[in-house]
Amino acid sequence: MKRDLFREDDGFSTVGMVVALLVTLSLLFSAARVYRVSSASADIQNVADAAALAAENEVAEFMVAVRTCDAVVLSLSLTGLAAYGLGVVALCVPPAAGVGEKLIEMGGKVMDARDAFADKAAAGLNQLQKALPFLAAANAASVAANNASPMEAEYLALAVLVPSEGAEIGVDAADAAKGVDAAVRENSEELQRAAREAEEAAQEANEAKARAFMRDCGDNPAYCMYERARALSLLPDAENPLYHSVDAWSFSVPLARAQAYYPARLAAEAPEDMSVEERARSALRERFYRYAASEVGKGYVRETADSFSAYFPLLPKNTAEMRATELYTESVYPVTAASGTPVMHAWEGCPEAGGATGYGSIADMEAGGYAMCPACQFGAESMGKVAAASTSIENGFEYHYAAVAQAARDYQEARSRLDPQANAVKEKAGSLLDLCKEALSQVGGQRIKASPPGCLGVVAMVANLRAAASSTGFESSFVQEGGVLGARAAVSAATLLPDTAEEGRSVLSSLLDGFAEDGGAAVGAARAVLDCWSAFLGAYANGQKALEDGIAQALDGLPLASASGLGAWAADALGSCVQALGLEPAELDALKPVLVNTGHVASADDGAFAVRFLAAKERALAVADAADVFSSVVGGLDGAAFEEMASASGTVEIAVVEFPVGGMTLPVTIVLPPAASAAAGGFLGGLADALRGVQAGLAGVRAWE
């Protein structure tokens, strides 16, 4: 029987199984060795990515500092000008004039603090942005070093910001505020004088109006025009209205009431009995009501916000005053002369008036030798008593009408002094508030803008200088020892992209929380200024609404109640100025570093590094020589100037806010990366030298990402 060494009909041979197992194990460990080599090569790219992100994060932190300084400058600008505006408003109210002067003084101090902080912030940010390349490189190197392992990884990283130099940061002085300050101080005294005179006249006018209101209907149910008209006539409620507040009442109300009252009394007049004396008095009352309706109908009230004129015709209250009216001269009384002596009668129905030969007037009676009628007893005093009966005592309608007419004259005289002074206040204060509005528009655009090193991105170069056996962790006799893994290198890039605005707002809010303290026991002008600053810090994030709310809150805290109403007018005028600004919130999207293609970062800049980097990359892609890419980029660092930080540990103070209210001193700082404290003068240069030495051992660098 023929036997095959590798074949057995009854089953597997021992030798065949062994060979199959050996081949399988060899393939398995070979694949593991390939994984080991690929993994070791890939690790350095991950480190390069982390280094790039760490370097660009320093730029993101710098932009937070820029926005913080921008918020402080903007809020101080708005606060100073708001203090001027609030001061102008307070000057329009004599009791608040002292507060107004303090507000104007504080406005000047806040603007001085604003300019001082702006200068310091610009200088501090410029110094800090010069150090950004150093800080970014230090942070990248620290991240790379922290990824090292004792046996097989010693990472060196060098990060280069693109661009390597930033644009100079500057903040314009608030020159517009100087014009506001000069104008407010120049016109302050005259504004106060006009407001004081307007207030005095307004108080007199308001007193006269209140007096008239009470005599018209405010004294109800006691005697007043409303109560007398209701008791003595049949006027409907529409013609005899009752007002409960002087604020809703005007002088046109009593005039209209009187103009409706006398026609109603005329229509309803009738003698109380049929005696000759009563019928004569009724006829004279009818004549008086007809005259009163005609005279009162000539009255008028013309009132606007800026002027007042009124005419309340006065009715005679005695015989002497009656002689000055047409009641004295109208020829309506029948005259008889039966005995040769003329007799004048009260009305045609007098029993003695039969056969009247003509008509005469009371003036004729007093001028000629008239005898008194024995029946009606008519004389000049008869008509005088008709008016006197209801004008001289408080249960008469004319008594209260005369009081309202006098109050209207007093009110008109006070308004004749009030209106010109109030118009002068409005004109002067309005022009000053317009200046504040223009200045607010200007400072709203005076923002801190920055294009720091790294604003376009960062390129990070990382090398692993430590050789390691390719079999580490996968030693096996199934695979022949392949030597060691030499130096490895990788390049990565990152740039800043905006994230959600909510996160940016929360970061900025946390930084600004400590800036606007409550000021302790601050009151009056100091309280108003502090409240404004607190609100205007929020205006950086929330824009127009926070600005309007801050002004409204400050106005609510000022004693602006006044008889003239100029306080309310000025407050509304300031509110309108603020509403017209349309302040937009700042861009608060959080800036976060993200990985991008290195070509995208380099192509965005035309600096020397970016040009050399792109050229080297193009050559490498043409010849597939990754070692040339890395060595060319590192070689391009020769001569790069990195300014060290004076103190590379802890925090750096950019500027200090010295708020003039409450003596607050608040620093704006930025935290340095921990790696900066360990960096020395030759840090970057030594790092570049070490990276250049990697060139000879570079091979198989990972493809560009």
Side-chain angles (χ1 to χ4, degrees):
M1 178 176 176
K2 183 178 179 181
R3 304 178 68 87
D4 190 335
L5 181 62
F6 297 102
R7 182 175 181 277
E8 174 62 49
D9 292 337
D10 296 332
F12 294 107
S13 68
T14 301
V15 175
M17 180 176 291
V18 169
V19 171
L21 289 174
L22 288 175
V23 171
T24 301
L25 290 173
S26 297
L27 292 174
L28 177 63
F29 280 98
S30 296
R33 181 70 59 86
V34 171
Y35 169 78
R36 153 65 181 158
V37 172
S38 298
S39 177
S41 300
D43 285 344
I44 193 169
Q45 186 63 54
N46 293 334
V47 174
D49 293 344
L53 293 173
E56 192 68 358
N57 190 62
E58 293 305 310
V59 183
E61 293 291 335
F62 175 80
M63 292 305 298
V64 172
V66 170
R67 288 177 173 177
T68 302
C69 292
D70 187 28
V72 173
V73 170
L74 177 63
S75 65
L76 288 176
S77 300
L78 297 175
T79 301
L81 290 170
Y84 286 128
L86 292 169
V88 170
V89 172
L91 291 181
C92 295
V93 184
V99 176
E101 291 178 344
K102 291 181 180 178
L103 283 167
I104 293 169
E105 180 183 355
M106 289 182 181
K109 292 181 178 179
V110 171
M111 294 310 300
D112 289 342
R114 179 265 185 204
D115 288 343
F117 176 82
D119 291 341
K120 293 176 183 177
L125 291 172
N126 281 321
Q127 181 181 3
L128 182 59
Q129 77 171 350
K130 290 179 181 178
L132 271 182
F134 167 79
L135 297 176
N139 211 26
S142 174
V143 168
N146 289 336
N147 279 276
S149 62
M151 298 299 296
E152 59 181 34
E154 179 185 352
Y155 293 114
L156 295 178
L158 181 60
V160 179
L161 297 181
V162 179
S164 60
E165 295 183 0
E168 184 78 9
I169 295 174
V171 186
D172 295 333
D175 293 332
K178 295 181 175 62
V180 174
D181 183 89
V184 170
R185 294 181 187 276
E186 179 181 349
N187 291 278
S188 172
E189 185 175 346
E190 185 176 351
L191 180 59
Q192 290 185 68
R193 180 195 58 76
R196 185 168 54 252
E197 294 182 4
E199 184 67 13
E200 292 172 357
Q203 290 175 353
E204 294 179 14
N206 288 350
E207 186 277 331
K209 184 175 182 180
R211 184 161 27 100
F213 166 73
M214 298 303 293
R215 300 301 288 272
D216 176 51
C217 59
D219 282 335
N220 183 69
Y223 289 144
C224 59
M225 286 180 63
Y226 165 79
E227 187 277 334
R228 290 289 80 197
R230 186 177 185 184
L232 300 175
S233 70
L234 298 177
L235 282 179
D237 291 343
E239 294 181 331
N240 190 38
L242 175 63
Y243 287 78
H244 299 281
S245 169
V246 68
D247 295 329
W249 179 91
S250 70
F251 278 97
S252 61
V253 174
L255 181 61
R257 196 189 312 276
Q259 289 172 338
Y261 172 78
Y262 287 108
R265 287 303 303 268
L266 176 62
E269 176 56 40
E272 296 178 3
D273 56 52
M274 296 307 294
S275 65
V276 174
E277 294 82 358
E278 173 56 23
R279 291 166 64 195
R281 286 193 293 269
S282 176
L284 294 178
R285 286 196 299 268
E286 182 178 339
R287 183 131 346 251
F288 177 81
Y289 292 144
R290 183 175 289 109
Y291 165 79
S294 174
E295 285 298 303
V296 173
K298 299 174 184 177
Y300 61 84
V301 174
R302 302 187 185 104
E303 185 172 14
T304 67
D306 300 322
S307 65
F308 177 87
S309 63
Y311 173 52
F312 279 74
L314 293 178
L315 301 176
K317 60 179 179 292
N318 51 46
T319 302
E321 292 183 2
M322 183 273 297
R323 290 189 178 101
T325 70
E326 65 182 41
L327 290 172
Y328 186 65
T329 58
E330 61 181 354
S331 299
V332 293
Y333 303 101
V335 177
T336 61
S339 61
T341 301
V343 177
M344 188 172 290
H345 307 274
W347 89 111
E348 293 175 343
C350 176
E352 299 291 331
T357 58
Y359 294 86
S361 66
I362 299 175
D364 295 335
M365 178 191 296
E366 291 193 328
Y370 282 75
M372 181 173 290
C373 174
C376 65
Q377 300 289 308
F378 178 64
E381 293 78 8
S382 300
M383 179 56 76
K385 290 178 180 179
V386 172
S390 60
T391 305
S392 301
I393 55 177
E394 65 178 3
N395 67 349
F397 181 87
E398 290 76 18
Y399 178 86
H400 301 284
Y401 171 82
V404 171
Q406 181 60 50
R409 289 194 296 272
D410 295 341
Y411 182 81
Q412 182 167 329
E413 192 279 330
R415 283 290 300 267
S416 69
R417 292 183 287 113
L418 165 63
D419 294 336
Q421 295 299 336
N423 290 335
V425 170
K426 291 179 180 180
E427 181 179 354
K428 193 166 293 294
S431 64
L432 294 176
L433 292 176
D434 285 341
L435 286 177
C436 291
K437 175 184 174 181
E438 293 174 7
L440 283 168
S441 299
Q442 290 185 26
V443 300
Q446 292 177 336
R447 314 297 285 271
I448 299 179
K449 300 179 177 62
S451 297
C455 63
L456 300 178
V458 64
V459 175
M461 294 152 285
V462 177
N464 186 351
L465 304 182
R466 181 164 296 174
S470 62
S471 60
T472 300
F474 294 91
E475 296 85 352
S476 172
S477 58
F478 291 97
V479 181
Q480 183 179 0
E481 186 63 40
V484 297
L485 297 174
R488 284 90 69 196
V491 181
S492 185
T495 191
L496 294 176
L497 290 180
D499 203 350
T500 62
E502 287 303 320
E503 183 171 346
R505 181 176 284 106
S506 63
V507 170
L508 185 62
S509 297
S510 65
L511 289 172
L512 299 178
D513 277 345
F515 280 5
E517 303 292 342
D518 63 5
V523 295
R527 179 77 270 162
V529 173
L530 279 169
D531 287 344
C532 280
W533 191 36
S534 177
F536 295 163
L537 281 169
Y540 186 78
N542 301 316
Q544 182 67 28
K545 185 178 186 305
L547 185 62
E548 294 177 10
D549 290 346
I551 290 291
Q553 181 181 0
L555 288 171
D556 288 342
L558 296 179
L560 299 181
S562 65
S564 66
L566 290 172
W569 171 86
D572 290 342
L574 178 59
S576 297
C577 289
V578 171
Q579 290 174 2
L581 288 178
L583 183 68
E584 295 293 335
E587 290 292 337
L588 292 179
D589 291 346
L591 296 177
K592 289 191 174 182
V594 294
L595 296 174
V596 294
N597 189 296
T598 53
H600 292 165
V601 173
S603 61
D605 186 39
D606 56 2
F609 169 79
V611 171
R612 284 193 293 270
F613 183 88
L614 287 175
K617 180 176 180 179
E618 291 174 0
R619 289 196 303 272
L621 292 175
V623 300
D625 185 356
D628 181 59
V629 177
F630 194 79
S631 61
S632 297
V633 170
V634 174
L637 293 174
D638 289 340
F642 292 98
E643 182 176 335
E644 296 181 47
M645 299 296 293
S647 174
S649 63
T651 61
V652 173
E653 183 178 279
I654 298 173
V656 176
V657 184
E658 296 179 354
F659 199 68
V661 178
M664 290 186 293
T665 302
L666 304 166
V668 178
T669 61
I670 188 170
V671 179
L672 295 179
S677 61
F683 169 72
L684 293 178
L687 188 59
D689 290 339
L691 290 174
R692 271 192 292 270
V694 179
Q695 177 183 0
L698 287 177
V701 178
R702 179 179 171 182
W704 293 87
E705 295 289 343

